[in-house]
Amino acid sequence: TSTAFEEGETIPSDHGCDGSDVSPPLAWSGAPDGTVAFAIIVEDPDARGFVHGLAADIPGDTTSLDEGEVAGTQGANDFGRSGYGGPCPPSGSHRYVFTVHALSETLGLSAGFSADELRAAMEDRILASGRLSGTYARGSG
């Protein structure tokens, strides 16, 4: 969940390239027993899975991240920088999916890892996943 937007609703411009471009607050619950760490992937399925953010090895007792909070090890987004890069579709409205994965162990990836490296490292280690999606159009929020 997020206090910034509800499932399927518009992501406020503060969290996109039209505003402060800071990550929205996120919260999750119900991690299964044995959760040691979390990983987060933020992507735009309407732009062939363009990656907006990657984080791994977020401590397993974490249940939320504040707006703009950085936790764990940050991967490289498709803007070519580490951390979060907010929605910035070239035209129209796009969907953005925030997926949190509960993991059975830490991954030990080096900062700047790619989405493919994260997905490969998570294989056989995902205990549960949850997702939150929102939409964004330039100048909409």
Side-chain angles (χ1 to χ4, degrees):
T1 63
S2 179
T3 56
F5 64 97
E6 298 287 328
E7 170 63 30
E9 298 296 324
T10 300
I11 298 170
S13 62
D14 283 352
H15 307 293
C17 66
D18 296 315
S20 304
D21 206 19
V22 297
S23 58
L26 296 174
W28 55 90
S29 61
D33 289 342
T35 299
V36 173
F38 293 98
I40 298 175
I41 300 174
V42 183
E43 57 193 334
D44 175 355
D46 297 324
R48 295 181 295 284
F50 189 95
V51 175
H52 286 266
L54 300 169
D57 294 345
I58 298 168
D61 59 354
T62 304
T63 58
S64 65
L65 295 174
D66 292 333
E67 178 179 274
E69 183 176 354
V70 175
T73 304
Q74 302 297 296
N77 60 41
D78 285 344
F79 291 113
R81 59 184 191 265
S82 286
Y84 176 81
C88 196
S91 63
S93 179
H94 283 217
R95 294 172 294 145
Y96 297 87
V97 180
F98 297 75
T99 306
V100 178
H101 299 283
L103 305 174
S104 60
E105 58 189 84
T106 57
L107 303 177
L109 295 169
S110 297
F113 58 86
S114 70
D116 287 343
E117 290 170 323
L118 177 59
R119 287 184 178 103
M122 289 192 305
E123 196 166 313
D124 299 325
R125 293 178 176 90
I126 298 173
L127 300 173
S129 298
R131 28 184 295 171
L132 173 68
S133 62
T135 61
Y136 190 88
R138 300 290 305 277
S140 68

